[in-house]
Amino acid sequence: MAKFGIGQAVPRSEDPRLLTGQGSYTDDVTLPGQRYAYFVRSPFAHAELGAIDVSEARAAPGVVAVLTGADMQADGVNAKHSYATVKNRDGSDFVNVPWPGLAQGRVRYVGEAVAMVIAETIGQARDAAELVDVDYETLPAVAATGAAMAPGTPQIWDRAPDNLCFDWEYGEREPARALLDQAAHVVDLTLVNNRVVANSMEGRACNAHHDPETGISRFYVSSQGVHSLRDKLARDIFGIDPDRLQVFTTDVGGGFGMKIFLYPEYIATLYAARKLGCAVKWTAERSEGFVSDDHGRDNITRVRLGLDAEHRFTALFVETTANLGAYLSDFGVFVATAAGNRMLPGLYTLQRVYTNVKGVFTNTQPVDAYRGAGRPEAAFIIERVVDLAAIELGVDPVALRHKNYIPPQAMPFTTATGLVYDSGEFSRNLGEAVERADRAGFEARRAAAAAEGRLRGLGVATYVEACAGGGPEDATITVDRDGSVTILIGTQTNGQGHETAYKQIVAEHLGVEFDRMTMIQGDTTRVATGSGTGGSRSVPVGGASVAEAALKIRDKARVRAADMLEAAAADIVVEDGRFTVIGTDRSVSLAEIAARAEDAVAFAEGGKFTPPAHTFPNGAHVVEVEIDPDTGTVTILRYTVVDDFGNVLNPMMVAGQVHGGVAQGIGQALLEHTVYDADGQLLSGSFMDYAMPRADNLPFLDFKYTVIPCRTNPMGVKGAGEAGCIGAPPAVINAVVDALKPYGITHIDMPATPSAIWQAIRSARPAAAAE
């Protein structure tokens, strides 16, 4: 094993720079002649736009321009549309609607950008925005997911009757229904996947500049990948050659899926720079993030699970209403449909799965991918209904899971939704998790808590996700004559530690020290292609490409080393970064080989990996909670995770990803809730009202991983970035429901806040007393 190579818990090489304030984020980018943008946003969820009087704002001190949707329309700037497509059950197309950079004709959610003020300072732009006079004719609004298709509900788009965007299905309806009809027992549950806000530490920001002499625009943006944004902005919005637009992303302080997408503010800012001939910068304030960053989840689902007389699962029948918001974000329709619903079988040997999703428009911020992107929703559905089945049947929820798991000898296994799991030992993971959590001693702990007037519960949940698939990823590695190495790749770190991960792969194959390596990303002028970061694909896909490039360099370096050492290439072995003649002490390093090169660049090789299939990380979560029945407050006492990520590149970074994902999953399960009132006003638009998890809400994690190598990835790795966020919500809610067992409560929706639990207990007490 090479020093700092694959499999070692190497500290992150980027951390000293970031922790000492030497990072460079989009808001740190300052361009010559830069001006500042501020958006006038609609205070109404639904209204016709009348006249927009910008005369007073244009005359305000420092103001360069005030732009509206009419300006953009007159200049031929296109609106954005959904980049994902779905078909309805009858084969017809879904309703795709335009989303302009600035509102045109009507506003459809609170916070929609109506006008853009550009001034010499951000203070001047903000002050002038107060002077923009907008004539709104308010319209009735609908914000609730379950009310979107109700009779008489206000219509958001004329082309979408009943606010229905699509009516999608997967699987065969009648065979699944027939199995339910034949089942010895059917479990029926309606549940909510609550809407959440990403709230990344660094908010969204962009900075645009246009050079009229060259016709080239430069665009800095906090993103999860520059190439897709370049192509969308250039081809779809401005109708220019992508070579005329250069896109850059510097350091990124968190994304969680939310920073993948093309947003109206990016279109408007780039438009302003191109129109005015000066650099224009926009940085979101936290309150803007709540009303303009794409939200996540927001589904209502009815799920029915059929079991035979021996308690084996037969069929799963799922019907979901998915809130898409007022417009369609880039991949929102995909997240609500195929992204997650094909994962509904979970780890189980179901015969049939049928799912129907109705995507609806509402007067709310659009919804798209948030960490896990459909897979957490699917895991919550299957793991909650399995737990409810155990309650209704009076059986052990762990034993019920073991009975229905796909056995390892069945791998590769084709699920009822057509996915092929290549590897996994699901019973082993759950068995280890419950043992580490001391489930055997739990009832004694429950009794002790009850004696002190507290409720104790233990919940288990398992998960599997499809990730690290999609299109190809390219990487290029160069070795300069001085021995320094540069890695160029189109993925984009958002804080996950890609720099360290890729350096470990290079160190493994070439033995280069970390301080001799540099990673280049987020730059369309230097990195030719890239699929960006999302779906836990950077290390499994990007890393495989880096490995291929490194191995090519190693092979060529071996030939040059043989020439230098006067040996046959077949007699050269590579160990600990040295190329050695086998059986001797004669060796050279890569740096010594590179120093002999005639050109400044001694080696330059590319690697490319196209995933043949997804990887399927999986695992088990066990949570022990205590509830104060007088306040409804939940305390998580123990949290145990056993995961299978295949071969692990860096155990320390994997643990960090699991910790962060679990924190977000706990946040959704117990605290986070995006609340709109009946008029579409956001009631939880700040940290005063939107409860983010804090240190005292989170437990210490007992985390362990098993190594079941992936068979569809050359490095044997499986994605790890989203796993914690997928397994945590059902495990936490299962534990809460278990604690509430004395009251006969069998389900509680997320977020299970103290208020919600307190109300559930108070409502159940008369029934409990009657028994």
Side-chain angles (χ1 to χ4, degrees):
M1 180 182 292
K3 183 180 180 183
F4 303 136
I6 293 173
Q8 300 187 51
V10 181
R12 302 192 339 167
S13 63
E14 52 265 72
D15 284 354
R17 174 177 63 85
L18 298 175
L19 293 172
T20 55
Q22 299 176 63
S24 177
Y25 298 87
T26 301
D27 189 55
D28 295 319
V29 175
T30 300
L31 301 176
Q34 176 178 289
R35 300 294 187 261
Y36 295 85
Y38 190 83
F39 287 95
V40 177
R41 298 185 181 275
S42 170
F44 302 109
H46 202 193
E48 296 288 353
L49 270 181
I52 303 177
D53 185 352
V54 301
S55 56
E56 192 174 353
R58 279 180 176 155
V63 172
V64 176
V66 183
L67 303 173
T68 67
D71 296 314
M72 298 182 73
Q73 193 171 30
D75 288 336
V77 179
N78 296 322
K80 69 182 291 272
H81 290 79
S82 171
Y83 285 92
T85 61
V86 295
K87 291 286 188 180
N88 293 314
R89 286 193 290 170
D90 62 6
S92 62
D93 291 329
F94 76 113
V95 178
N96 201 347
V97 297
W99 190 3
L102 294 170
Q104 297 173 7
R106 184 184 290 194
V107 291
R108 292 177 169 86
Y109 65 94
V110 169
E112 183 169 1
V114 174
M116 181 187 195
V117 179
I118 300 98
E120 294 175 358
T121 70
I122 187 60
Q124 290 171 333
R126 187 184 294 110
D127 290 344
E130 297 289 334
L131 304 175
V132 176
D133 186 14
V134 184
D135 182 14
Y136 296 100
E137 183 181 340
T138 59
L139 300 168
V142 57
T145 306
M149 294 186 293
T153 296
Q155 295 299 289
I156 299 169
W157 293 94
D158 292 340
R159 68 182 75 177
D162 301 322
N163 294 321
L164 183 66
C165 175
F166 61 79
D167 183 357
W168 175 89
E169 69 178 356
Y170 193 88
E172 296 181 84
R173 186 183 190 93
E174 293 312 314
R177 191 189 296 276
L179 280 175
L180 283 183
D181 292 341
Q182 299 162 14
H185 190 86
V186 176
V187 185
D188 194 332
L189 174 64
T190 297
L191 51 79
V192 172
N193 267 286
N194 47 314
R195 179 182 283 234
V196 291
V197 179
N199 281 319
S200 54
M201 185 177 292
E202 179 210 20
R204 289 191 296 117
C206 63
N207 197 337
H209 173 263
H210 180 69
D211 185 342
E213 293 186 5
T214 64
I216 292 176
S217 298
R218 294 167 65 86
F219 189 66
Y220 292 83
V221 60
S222 182
S223 80
Q224 291 179 228
V226 292
H227 294 88
S228 65
L229 287 177
R230 176 199 61 187
D231 294 345
K232 293 170 185 176
L233 282 166
R235 292 175 179 154
D236 302 337
I237 305 302
F238 292 98
I240 61 175
D241 191 304
D243 290 341
R244 301 288 89 192
L245 177 59
Q246 300 170 350
V247 180
F248 307 91
T249 291
T250 55
D251 291 316
V252 179
F256 312 120
M258 180 270 292
K259 289 183 181 174
I260 295 173
F261 319 120
L262 175 60
Y263 285 91
E265 294 89 353
Y266 302 164
I267 298 171
T269 302
L270 182 55
Y271 164 69
R274 291 172 60 84
K275 184 177 182 68
L276 303 176
C278 63
V280 178
K281 180 179 185 177
W282 171 71
T283 300
E285 298 177 354
R286 183 60 67 181
S287 59
E288 282 187 288
F290 274 95
V291 297
S292 67
D293 295 347
D294 282 351
H295 296 168
R297 320 296 193 229
D298 202 345
N299 297 338
I300 299 174
T301 298
R302 181 188 180 191
V303 52
R304 284 168 282 177
L305 173 66
L307 301 92
D308 65 17
E310 296 179 349
H311 299 167
R312 295 193 182 277
F313 304 159
T314 60
L316 194 69
F317 201 94
V318 181
E319 297 167 296
T320 292
T321 301
N323 193 336
L324 304 171
Y327 297 91
L328 299 180
S329 182
D330 295 26
F331 306 109
V333 298
F334 170 69
V335 171
T337 55
N341 280 272
R342 294 189 70 186
M343 302 309 304
L344 283 168
L347 306 177
Y348 306 108
T349 55
L350 285 148
Q351 298 175 40
R352 295 276 183 178
V353 171
Y354 173 80
T355 179
N356 171 224
V357 181
K358 291 181 173 65
V360 296
F361 292 111
T362 62
N363 294 114
T364 63
Q365 171 66 28
V367 174
D368 209 317
Y370 171 73
R371 198 171 191 171
R375 285 95 79 199
E377 294 92 314
F380 189 70
I381 291 168
I382 184 64
E383 289 300 302
R384 279 298 300 127
V385 77
V386 167
D387 239 46
L388 182 58
I391 293 171
E392 292 187 359
L393 294 168
V395 300
D396 180 358
V398 171
L400 184 62
R401 287 175 167 85
H402 282 307
K403 175 178 284 191
N404 286 281
Y405 278 154
I406 301 162
Q409 60 269 23
M411 300 296 174
F413 181 86
T414 302
T415 72
T417 55
L419 293 175
V420 180
Y421 297 168
D422 66 283
S423 58
E425 297 184 15
F426 311 140
S427 279
R428 171 184 170 182
N429 291 340
L430 181 57
E432 289 191 22
V434 296
E435 182 178 354
R436 294 176 73 91
D438 187 25
R439 184 173 185 255
F442 169 71
E443 289 303 333
R445 297 193 295 277
R446 191 205 294 267
E452 297 180 358
R454 296 188 301 274
L455 305 168
R456 185 78 68 108
L458 186 140
V460 302
T462 53
Y463 76 92
V464 61
E465 66 155 323
C467 63
E473 199 64 60
D474 295 81
T476 299
I477 298 177
T478 63
V479 182
D480 289 350
R481 195 162 46 203
D482 64 1
S484 60
V485 172
T486 302
I487 306 162
L488 298 99
I489 192 161
T491 59
Q492 178 65 53
T493 185
N494 304 154
Q496 301 96 327
H498 292 178
E499 179 180 319
T500 302
Y502 295 146
K503 285 180 177 179
Q504 282 187 257
I505 294 169
V506 174
E508 176 74 21
H509 298 304
L510 298 177
V512 182
E513 298 288 338
F514 274 23
D515 60 4
R516 301 288 290 157
M517 289 189 263
T518 301
M519 182 182 72
I520 303 295
Q521 60 172 355
D523 184 343
T524 61
T525 68
R526 298 190 63 183
V527 182
T529 64
S531 298
T533 291
S536 301
R537 69 187 307 274
S538 292
V539 169
V541 184
S545 304
V546 170
E548 181 182 317
L551 289 170
K552 287 180 180 178
I553 290 175
R554 190 180 72 176
D555 290 343
K556 289 193 173 180
R558 179 185 280 114
V559 174
R560 295 190 193 180
D563 184 59
M564 292 171 63
L565 298 170
E566 299 181 340
D571 293 332
I572 302 294
V573 294
V574 185
E575 292 180 350
D576 297 328
R578 299 196 67 82
F579 295 75
T580 305
V581 179
I582 192 168
T584 74
D585 60 358
R586 295 164 52 217
S587 68
V588 291
S589 67
L590 180 66
E592 290 170 324
I593 298 169
R596 295 286 191 93
E598 296 180 359
D599 300 324
V601 177
F603 299 96
E605 294 293 337
K608 181 173 185 175
F609 178 61
T610 302
H614 289 93
T615 70
F616 294 96
N618 57 88
H621 291 224
V622 183
V623 182
E624 189 167 331
V625 303
E626 195 168 80
I627 297 175
D628 179 348
D630 293 327
T631 64
T633 302
V634 177
T635 302
I636 300 177
L637 303 174
R638 302 170 72 142
Y639 202 116
T640 306
V641 182
V642 176
D643 281 319
D644 166 20
F645 297 131
N647 292 330
V648 170
L649 181 68
N650 185 317
M652 184 186 302
M653 292 202 303
V654 162
Q657 287 296 300
V658 172
H659 291 175
V662 166
Q664 285 179 276
I666 290 172
Q668 181 179 3
L670 298 179
L671 300 163
E672 298 183 49
H673 198 195
T674 310
V675 181
Y676 287 91
D677 70 10
D679 294 322
Q681 293 292 327
L682 182 63
L683 302 182
S684 54
S686 75
F687 291 148
M688 293 291 289
D689 307 296
Y690 186 94
M692 292 281 283
R694 303 182 303 181
D696 59 351
N697 299 122
L698 303 174
F700 287 100
L701 251 64
D702 175 16
F703 168 63
K704 177 184 182 296
Y705 62 86
T706 58
V707 177
I708 312 295
C710 177
R711 300 177 187 176
T712 60
N713 182 277
M715 300 199 311
V717 301
K718 305 172 183 178
E722 298 157 296
C725 202
I726 298 171
V732 171
I733 294 300
N734 287 347
V736 169
V737 170
D738 186 57
L740 297 175
K741 183 164 60 173
Y743 299 99
I745 296 169
T746 59
H747 178 69
I748 190 165
D749 278 320
M750 298 188 292
T753 62
S755 175
I757 292 173
W758 187 86
Q759 293 286 356
I761 289 173
R762 292 306 177 277
S763 298
R765 270 183 172 164
E771 293 177 359

